[in-house]
Amino acid sequence: MKNKKIFALLLCAVFAVTVSVLASGCSQEKDSPPPSGQSAQNAGGSDTGTAAELGSLKSFSAGTLDGGTFTQDDIAAKDVTAINFWSLTCGPCIIEMPDLAAFAAALPENVQLVTVCLDGLGNEETAKSILEESGFTGVTLISGDGDLAALCGNLMYTPTTIFADAGGSLIGDAVIGGQEDLSGTFLAAVNKVLVESGKAEISLEE
């Protein structure tokens, strides 16, 4: 009987840890090569937000999963760019990918969402399979230099999503971990950037 009680307590402890990890995201090793790592706080917060502490996206060049290039010029082409950092070994990242795909598909032309697969370089086929299964058809970055590499080095968790204006400045707070209402949380963050840029708020397309 005593052994059964001990086993039950251990099982409860493991379950509690699992739920905690799923809710908060996956931590990354700080010594991983860029782009790597993750951090910050939930969307909302102060008027200025904490995402700017991670850096900016004013000057960089990144390789995409389909063999293309993505730079600060692609950021400048939109009023707001949401950037989702994820990894192939992060369960919460993959679980939220269909919601991420649906959000991206519902955005108007002046807003875009791109993802950064932190361990995608060398694992392209696995990354493509996950994205295809989730329905995500947007841009995914798998390597980068300049501001992107510096920003990745300041991150601590996946998934992390940040929001940049056309100038590459990060506005508001980074969104960390899986979100119960991903579209609502991300939409509020996008509209915060638009308002601070003097532009009209958006709603998601049906």
Side-chain angles (χ1 to χ4, degrees):
M1 181 66 71
K2 189 174 182 180
N3 287 337
K4 286 184 178 180
K5 286 183 178 179
I6 292 173
F7 178 76
L9 287 172
L10 287 173
L11 189 62
C12 289
V14 169
F15 178 76
V17 169
T18 302
V19 170
S20 176
V21 169
L22 289 174
S24 62
C26 304
S27 64
Q28 303 291 317
E29 296 295 331
K30 285 299 288 182
D31 58 357
S32 299
S36 169
Q38 294 60 227
S39 139
Q41 297 175 352
N42 289 331
S46 65
D47 291 338
T48 56
T50 60
E53 297 172 8
L54 298 174
S56 68
L57 290 169
K58 297 178 184 294
S59 178
F60 71 95
S61 180
T64 66
L65 188 59
D66 61 3
T69 302
F70 190 90
T71 72
Q72 68 277 351
D73 293 334
D74 296 290
I75 298 283
K78 301 291 183 179
D79 291 333
V80 183
T81 299
I83 306 100
N84 174 262
F85 296 87
W86 64 289
S87 71
L88 301 174
T89 57
C90 171
C93 300
I94 296 171
I95 288 171
E96 76 170 5
M97 195 61 70
D99 290 339
L100 205 68
F103 177 77
L107 291 171
E109 285 296 317
N110 64 320
V111 180
Q112 64 183 337
L113 184 146
V114 302
T115 80
V116 179
C117 185
L118 298 168
D119 50 0
L121 192 62
N123 298 297
E124 289 86 353
E125 292 308 312
T126 302
K128 286 179 181 178
S129 177
I130 291 170
L131 292 167
E132 288 174 3
E133 187 172 342
S134 71
F136 183 79
T137 58
V139 173
T140 292
L141 314 182
I142 57 172
S143 65
D145 60 20
D147 287 346
L148 178 62
L151 192 156
C152 288
N154 291 331
L155 298 173
M156 292 175 62
Y157 301 99
T158 53
T160 289
T161 303
I162 57 176
F163 303 85
D165 64 15
S169 296
L170 306 186
I171 308 296
D173 295 329
V175 178
I176 296 179
Q179 304 298 305
E180 290 186 9
D181 180 14
L182 184 146
S183 290
T185 300
F186 282 19
L187 181 60
V190 166
N191 281 330
K192 179 178 178 65
V193 178
L194 290 169
V195 168
E196 294 200 11
S197 302
K199 301 183 182 298
E201 295 185 2
I202 65 165
S203 57
L204 299 179
E205 298 175 351
E206 294 293 334

